[in-house]
Amino acid sequence: HITPEKFYVEACDDGADDVLAIDRVSTEVTLTVKKDIPPSAVTRPIYGILGTIRLVAGTYLIVITKKKKVGEIFSHAIWKATDFDILSYKKTMLHLTDIQLQDNKVFLSMLSHVLSVDGFYFSTTYDLTHTLQRLANTSPEFQEMSLLERADPRFVWNGHLLREFAAQPEIHRFATPVMHGFITMHSCSINGKCFEWLLVSRRSCFRAGVRYYVRGIDSEGHAANFVETEQVVHYRGSKASFVQTRGSIPFFWSQRPNLKYKPKPQISKSVNHMDGFQRHFDSQIISYGKQMIVNLVNQKGSEKPLEQTFAKMVNSMANGMVRYIAFDFHKECSHMRWDRLQILMDQLAEQQDEFSYFLVDTDSEIVTEQEGIFRRIFRSNCMDCLDRTNVIQSLLARRSLQAQLQRLGVLHVGQRIEEQADFEKIYKNAWADNANACAKQYAGTGALKTDYTTGKRTQWGLIMDGWNSLIRYYKNNFSDGFRQDAIDLFLGNYSVDEVEPASPLHVKKDWKFLALPIIMVVAFSMCIICLLMAG
């Protein structure tokens, strides 16, 4: 409910009388009741509060205005947020100069850009930020906490926007933690036995960004493009899950765009790599247990130093909880020899059996726990941890699912998932959709090699990969700077100072920044003229 003085957010749950009152002048947030809402207020439905942010014009309230039901997890509704609105606390913009108005407009377009990227999910009753295993090992006190208070901060993408709500425990229930990534749910049947199959990918908001602009780790040990992927099975009250992670090579390196198709990776020489490297794996071991690193970086050319440095650092760390294997994906699977992936699967089989998976029975008793994870590090169009990552993760997840379904009695002894045509189609398409979602969020285009994920490698798949690679090249060099700035603004890595006289949006550029675009425009124009006047 909107009035010139306040925003009133009414809880629409059955029996709820609580109303959140947000003062548009003082920005104070308090609780009130329905009878205090003025009849003159303009009323509209919303589905959640994303949070607040300060821009040049003042504070803005971001709300979810459209949602789409993804499905249900254990009777809890899961939603995808599909549209948002950014509401100004200020009733007028007359207090701004023309330059400030323009800056404010740019910052608003940045927020709108981030919110337009597909993949924001939420639930008002279920904690989407934790795996089944983490949730099963929590205390009763943890279960009583609000979703905002108990959520894993790595996967709450609106954590910065909700900072003012987090400071007031009494209004936590009005705050909606939102996850970014991918969720798909399917009701499946094998041998006449029905079960629920889910795939969830959670993107970390720590060191988040776009391809080429964010690589390696930060001083806290957070890896770029870190994604936790969980596969869940629910059958007759029993629940099983298998977790994997992906992330950038965890030391200090960069690969800034420079108009080359594949910029040369640069390993920093001025920092202590081991400090951040150790922090990264200490955090990983606490969260997941043992680590099996699968490195698919090229073992020759410009990527060779990355593989050598990584292997050397793992050996120097000498931690029995961390194991390392390098598999040159590009070399081994060249000329579409995808059958050679079985070499890697055979190498990982014993380790995967040791790690096991999480399983809880119908009486909520834990039968087995997953004792470690596979962590994938990938090469250049896959140092992004996107395309080939997905191929390997889908193969490992299928192997785990095979064991889970046999243990639950869905698959008979000797039966294989690959032989179940209907389920196999659902499985492959879901992993291809997961690949596309993660790729669009990081690289700006759909994933490469999804034809292999959904079936087999084809010539048409190669053509589509070439097209996506071309689009990635353009975006990486000419539009990803804006995308990175937008993400940094949304996540609070950059804060707008209302009284700051010099805006970073007005940095005067040297003439050489304009030289190349001008030359390219002139050259393209001359080419067109020559073609038209060829006769």
Side-chain angles (χ1 to χ4, degrees), residues 366-505:
I366 296 175
V367 180
T368 64
E369 289 195 302
Q370 186 173 336
E371 298 180 1
I373 58 150
F374 289 92
R375 165 70 186 276
R376 260 145 305 282
I377 309 293
F378 287 83
R379 66 174 297 283
S380 171
N381 10 8
C382 270
M383 282 199 291
D384 317 318
C385 307
L386 296 175
D387 314 316
R388 298 173 191 186
T389 310
N390 213 69
V391 172
I392 302 301
Q393 284 198 339
S394 67
L395 293 176
L396 287 167
R398 183 196 275 118
R399 190 173 183 276
S400 180
L401 185 61
Q402 173 86 30
Q404 292 169 6
L405 293 179
Q406 283 184 341
R407 186 158 187 170
L408 291 171
V410 175
L411 283 175
H412 302 322
V413 177
Q415 273 190 317
R416 300 194 59 79
I417 289 178
E418 293 91 325
E419 300 164 358
Q420 315 306 314
D422 291 342
F423 177 74
E424 183 72 354
K425 184 178 180 181
I426 291 172
Y427 183 88
K428 286 180 174 179
N429 284 330
W431 274 97
D433 291 342
N434 179 66
N436 278 324
C438 292
K440 285 177 181 176
Q441 291 160 11
Y442 188 55
T445 72
L448 312 183
K449 300 168 188 64
T450 51
D451 57 327
Y452 174 78
T453 308
T454 54
K456 64 179 182 179
R457 198 71 167 128
T458 63
Q459 295 296 332
W460 176 249
L462 283 173
I463 294 171
M464 290 306 298
D465 284 358
W467 175 250
N468 276 331
S469 295
L470 186 64
I471 295 173
R472 279 189 189 180
Y473 172 80
Y474 173 80
K475 289 193 173 185
N476 296 161
N477 283 282
F478 300 108
S479 66
D480 273 0
F482 179 85
R483 289 177 64 213
Q484 183 63 55
D485 291 342
I487 291 170
D488 285 333
L489 175 66
F490 186 86
L491 296 178
N493 300 328
Y494 171 78
S495 296
V496 176
D497 189 343
E498 293 177 59
V499 298
E500 187 179 75
S503 168
L505 301 176

Side-chain angles (χ1 to χ4, degrees), residues 60-99:
Y60 283 81
L61 177 70
I62 309 175
V63 294
I64 301 169
T65 56
K66 290 183 182 178
K67 65 178 181 177
K68 176 184 176 183
K69 191 170 184 179
V70 179
E72 293 188 0
I73 295 180
F74 319 129
S75 301
H76 297 277
I78 308 301
W79 305 92
K80 176 190 275 191
T82 57
D83 203 4
F84 306 84
D85 204 354
I86 306 171
L87 307 171
S88 175
Y89 280 37
K90 302 289 186 182
K91 297 183 283 290
T92 175
M93 298 292 163
L94 295 176
H95 61 293
L96 300 179
T97 64
D98 289 344
I99 293 176

Side-chain angles (χ1 to χ4, degrees), residues 36-223:
D36 292 336
I37 302 172
S40 59
V42 178
T43 299
R44 59 181 296 191
I46 64 169
Y47 301 106
I49 296 175
L50 207 65
T52 61
I53 190 167
R54 295 184 72 83
L55 301 180
V56 179
T59 306
Y60 283 81
L61 177 70
I62 309 175
V63 294
I64 301 169
T65 56
K66 290 183 182 178
K67 65 178 181 177
K68 176 184 176 183
K69 191 170 184 179
V70 179
E72 293 188 0
I73 295 180
F74 319 129
S75 301
H76 297 277
I78 308 301
W79 305 92
K80 176 190 275 191
T82 57
D83 203 4
F84 306 84
D85 204 354
I86 306 171
L87 307 171
S88 175
Y89 280 37
K90 302 289 186 182
K91 297 183 283 290
T92 175
M93 298 292 163
L94 295 176
H95 61 293
L96 300 179
T97 64
D98 289 344
I99 293 176
Q100 288 176 321
L101 273 172
Q102 187 60 36
D103 288 350
N104 198 67
K105 186 177 179 181
V106 173
F107 286 128
L108 283 172
S109 69
M110 287 182 178
L111 292 179
S112 297
H113 177 81
V114 175
L115 295 172
S116 70
V117 177
D118 193 38
F120 288 101
Y121 298 87
F122 70 97
S123 173
T124 56
T125 57
Y126 186 78
D127 188 348
L128 285 173
T129 65
H130 290 288
T131 63
L132 283 188
Q133 184 164 318
R134 284 200 295 266
L135 289 173
N137 289 313
T138 55
S139 64
E141 292 78 20
F142 179 86
Q143 300 288 345
E144 294 298 317
M145 293 180 183
S146 67
L147 290 179
L148 177 60
E149 195 176 3
R150 61 187 263 183
D152 188 331
R154 294 179 300 168
F155 306 122
V156 181
W157 266 63
N158 58 334
H160 169 69
L161 303 178
L162 290 175
R163 65 202 181 284
E164 293 180 5
F165 286 75
Q168 295 179 247
E170 70 275 10
I171 62 173
H172 278 185
R173 60 189 180 278
F174 280 90
T176 308
V178 173
M179 184 202 94
H180 198 215
F182 176 77
I183 299 178
T184 188
M185 306 179 188
H186 296 276
S187 295
C188 308
S189 178
I190 295 178
N191 296 325
K193 298 173 181 177
C194 298
F195 61 94
E196 298 295 317
W197 180 77
L198 297 77
L199 188 62
V200 181
S201 282
R202 308 173 178 96
R203 282 190 78 197
S204 174
C205 58
F206 296 148
R207 194 153 177 76
V210 298
R211 185 183 189 231
Y212 288 157
Y213 279 86
V214 177
R215 296 295 207 194
I217 56 172
D218 60 20
S219 58
E220 299 298 316
H222 300 129

